[in-house]
Each structure stands twice: as structure tokens, then as C-alpha cells.
Amino acid sequence: MTFLKILEQVESDRFAAYLNAASGFNIFRLALENKQELRTLIREMQKHPNYAQSIFQRLSSLLKVNHQPQYAHPHDVALAGYLFALSHINSELTVDAIDQILRTPQLWWSQRLAKFLQAKLSKDEIQIDWMGQTKHMNINSASSDGIVVNVVPITTQPTLRNITQTSVSDTITTSYNYKFENRFFSQDSQSADAYEREI
Amino acid sequence: MSILRLGDQSTPSGDCFVYARSGKPIPCEIVPSDSLDLMRIHGQELMNWRRGLTLRSISNYPYNCVGMIFASRRAWVEIDHIYDLLTGDGYRQIPVNDVMIGDVVVYKNQGFASHVALIVDIDRSMANSIRVISKWGKNPEFIHFQENVPDLLGKPAEYWTERI
């Protein structure tokens, strides 16, 4: 099945009618997870990294299409489908998509999904106080650079050391230590327990 | 269940409530209305897709299956609250052999309540063939055999009555 054919299915009346049968958000989310069209889409996006950008652009375009603004957005379900697919592939685009969806009126399922994902992502957000500068990162987006956690401004932790920054961007890419849920971890292979003992 | 909002009992967060007979507040949602044209298209899609459906009514007032039965078609109440409503309204669970017209059937999907429908016909001669009226989320109301629903709505799992 071609990529365009998948998009056609996700934007079809049949797809919308089926998912609109959900009697609540949890059932809607369950249905998204089980929907074959979305599984196929996610698989294609995994195979072709540039598809994520295409989906994001399609989502942005569809958001603008509501010829009867007094009613619910006609592409609400398709938008939720695209957001769901993006959330499996690219967290940066997901954050941008969430932002756009939350600013668009007359959405229901897609806004609920956006709020759900936003809460999930913010739970994963990390703040690193590095050399007097506060860095905000998302666990998912940061994970590709090797950074996985934390919350506590680490300069306030005098026991932390060996922190180096090798990237000019907002990401710290090499050796670091961090604190998560009051436990200390190290990026290198030390286990949390071992590091705690060392501290 | 006593009486229902619409709009005027909104909390600052935009939520609203219906009240079970016990007085317990049950949250409901403010849902944007679909256009009638879109609802007709979606209703037709479902009719084409599933045989044996009778379309009972189309309304773009936003209510769902729970709102149809427990809020007189005035509210969208998430299915997650179904047990609060059933117990708050004095319903009790009964075996399928005891059901009567007017009782309700709760559907489950992967162990979770997923849908609720009102029983409108029972044919005991055909292995408890039960027909129900139910609203499929934002879609129209249909009359159908109890098993004849989209997969996401699950399967008939429990029968409840308020009869004493």
C-alpha cells in the first residue's frame, strides 16, 4: 500500500465514523492502538524517516481546514490519528503538533490526545542546570543523544562531577551524572546502586 | 439520577456534572457538535459497513451512549463512569436469563467497560436474541442485535436493572 493510500484511509469518513464510535477517551485511545491503518502508517514512518515531516505538514494543513467553524472540526479524528502516529516516531514534531492542535478550536479527540501526550511528555521533561544555564530537555528527544533523565538542577548537587559538555547545541552529549527520583545515576556503565555507594 | 446541567453548572475547568440518584456528581464533558451533514455521512458509512443496523435517529447535540440512557440525551458522560452511575442509581447486576426490556447491557473491551445499551427486544425462542438501542459515540443512535457493534465497543458482558 502506498503512503498516499494510507493517508487517504486515515482521512476517510469510514475511519472517522469507526473511531467516533468510542464512548470515551480511553476507548478511543485503545482503538487508535489497534487500528490497522495507523499500524501500517507507523511502520512506514519507521522505514522512511522523512515521512514524519510529511505527516506533520499534512496535520498542519488539515488543521486549517474547517469550513464550518461553528461545528466540530471535520478532520478531528484524522488529526488524532496523525498525532498518534507522530508520537511513536518523533517527539520534537509531536510537541509542535500538540502545540498547534491545542491552539485550534473545535477539536475534541485530537485535543484530548494532545493533552494526554503533553502530560506524558512533560512528566518526561528534564531540566539540567549546566554552568549557570538551565537546559530543558525531553527524555524522548534527548534519548537519541544519550541523555535519559532528570529534573534536579545538578549544580546544586555538590557530589556530582565529571560533567562535560561537548555539543554546541542545547544537548549534553557525553559524560554526565544526574539525579532521578532521588537516586544518582551515571551515564557510563556504573549501576545506580554502585554510584550511590560511591557517593 | 436527578438532573442535569447544560452549560450553567460548568466548573472553572469547563467540566460539568450530572447527578446520580444517590447525589453523587458524575463528570460530563463539553463536546463540540458535529455538523448534521457530517453525521449523516458517518451514519451511512456505518450502515454500509455493518448489516442489520436500523438507524433510529441523528442528532448533532453531543451526547454518547451513557448520556442517552442516564442523562436523557443531554450530556456526554465518559463510559469510565458507568459503574458510578449504575450503583448510584440503584441498579443491580442480573443474569442474562432475567433481563427484560428496559434493562441495560454493559459492554467490555479488554476488560474495561466500553459501551452501554438499552434493551428493547428479547426473543427467548432464539437463544436470548437481544436487540438494543444504543448511541455509538458521536455517531447516530442505532437499533441492532446486541453483538452487532464495532470492535472497539467490545462485547456484551453484563446486564443491569433498576427493577426492585
Side-chain angles (χ1 to χ4, degrees), chain A residues 88-103:
Chain A
H88 282 70
I89 301 293
N90 185 315
S91 55
E92 281 177 34
L93 290 176
T94 302
V95 169
D96 290 346
I98 287 171
D99 183 52
Q100 290 193 18
I101 285 171
L102 292 180
R103 283 191 282 113

Side-chain angles (χ1 to χ4, degrees), chain A residues 126-183:
Chain A
I126 62 176
Q127 175 183 311
I128 296 176
D129 189 354
W130 170 252
M131 304 289 284
Q133 287 183 300
T134 301
K135 309 285 187 188
H136 288 273
M137 310 184 81
N138 178 274
I139 290 178
N140 293 336
S141 58
S143 61
S144 59
D145 294 324
I147 290 183
V148 189
V149 209
N150 186 21
V151 178
V152 179
I154 50 185
T155 51
T156 64
Q157 304 297 323
T159 52
L160 294 179
R161 58 230 159 129
N162 299 329
I163 301 174
T164 57
Q165 185 178 25
T166 58
S167 170
V168 293
S169 70
D170 280 354
T171 54
I172 301 170
T173 56
T174 56
S175 178
Y176 62 93
N177 299 313
Y178 52 84
K179 188 182 176 193
F180 181 60
E181 292 180 346
N182 294 320
R183 300 180 74 194

Side-chain angles (χ1 to χ4, degrees), chain B residues 102-151:
Chain B
D103 293 337
V104 301
V105 50
V106 173
Y107 293 67
K108 287 193 172 180
N109 185 353
Q110 297 186 20
F112 298 99
S114 51
H115 184 53
V116 62
L118 185 69
I119 294 169
V120 293
D121 186 51
I122 304 163
D123 186 347
R124 303 278 186 210
S125 68
M126 292 177 59
N128 283 327
S129 170
I130 294 174
R131 283 164 70 87
V132 298
I133 176 172
S134 72
K135 183 152 192 310
W136 293 4
K138 294 183 86 178
N139 293 308
E141 286 184 22
F142 293 103
I143 298 168
H144 55 88
F145 285 105
Q146 61 171 350
E147 300 85 1
N148 195 15
V149 295
D151 293 344

